[in-house]
Amino acid sequence: MRRNPAPAELEPVEAFCNTATLLHGEDEFARPGTAGGWLRAHGYPEAVAPGDLAALTEARETVRAFLVERTSPGALDALNHLIRSVAGAPAVRPDGSLALRPADGGPAAGIVRTVLEALLRDGLTGRHATRLKACAAPECRWVFYDRAPSSNGLWCDMDVCGARHKMRAYRARGGAAARRDG
């Protein structure tokens, strides 16, 4: 996609969520080999069991669903359940930063905790609140950082997802007008 990457503090969330490119049917967590390459490239232990890959995929889709609709009761419940499943009570480190304590010691839980720490610390409040989003196109859901001053971006790429939406709306209006005239 064409947008600039998220700021460094939100990069773990953006990179994790974008391990799947739904428009192209690609998923880094679909096979151990591709998952290992992604994990290694992002500084995580690359030896992950197939069950852990399923857990990572589920966590990714939970975070994406939350970024699509932050106020949805279902998305909030799912995110809170994910947090409870991999982390205990949060702790403040000596440097003042937030840390999630392990509730589960597995490798997948450690990866998800890293992503959730970044989301909770930097993606929900402050200057980044509501700027990390998932594309509004249901067939895409690419996660992007909205740099528009009004923070009203909907599409990961206006030339792809935005143009498709506009074309569908245009055709829908044209179809309605043709039926009305006929």
Side-chain angles (χ1 to χ4, degrees):
M1 304 301 159
R2 294 185 182 184
R3 291 191 179 254
N4 290 328
E9 56 269 24
L10 289 173
E11 191 277 333
V13 182
E14 184 181 55
F16 180 74
C17 288
N18 289 337
T19 55
T21 307
L22 301 179
L23 283 175
H24 304 294
E26 299 168 357
D27 186 347
E28 298 283 348
F29 296 153
R31 294 178 311 285
T34 57
W38 185 88
L39 293 167
R40 182 177 48 256
H42 289 85
Y44 298 114
E46 62 182 277
V48 177
D52 288 335
L53 293 179
L56 290 173
T57 300
E58 184 178 343
R60 176 190 65 213
E61 296 310 317
T62 298
V63 174
R64 270 187 177 181
F66 170 76
L67 293 173
V68 167
E69 184 54 56
R70 292 172 182 252
T71 59
S72 161
L76 288 169
D77 287 346
L79 183 65
N80 284 323
H81 181 268
L82 176 62
I83 293 167
R84 282 190 305 275
S85 73
V86 298
V92 178
R93 295 181 180 121
D95 67 358
S97 64
L98 173 72
L100 296 179
R101 295 181 181 161
D104 175 344
I111 295 164
V112 173
R113 268 193 305 277
T114 302
V115 171
L116 291 173
E117 278 182 6
L119 178 64
L120 296 174
R121 182 185 61 236
D122 299 307
L124 300 180
T125 61
R127 67 186 183 102
H128 299 306
T130 72
R131 293 214 175 256
L132 194 63
K133 302 175 178 182
C135 182
E139 67 276 7
C140 179
R141 297 296 189 229
W142 188 260
V143 172
F144 66 95
Y145 186 81
D146 184 3
R147 294 180 184 279
S150 59
S151 186
N152 65 348
L154 295 174
W155 316 109
C156 63
D157 189 338
M158 198 57 210
D159 292 339
V160 178
C161 294
R164 286 180 183 179
H165 173 76
K166 285 182 175 185
M167 184 55 69
R168 285 184 195 124
Y170 173 77
R171 287 180 180 153
R173 285 189 310 271
R179 286 189 297 276
R180 195 174 45 244
D181 293 341

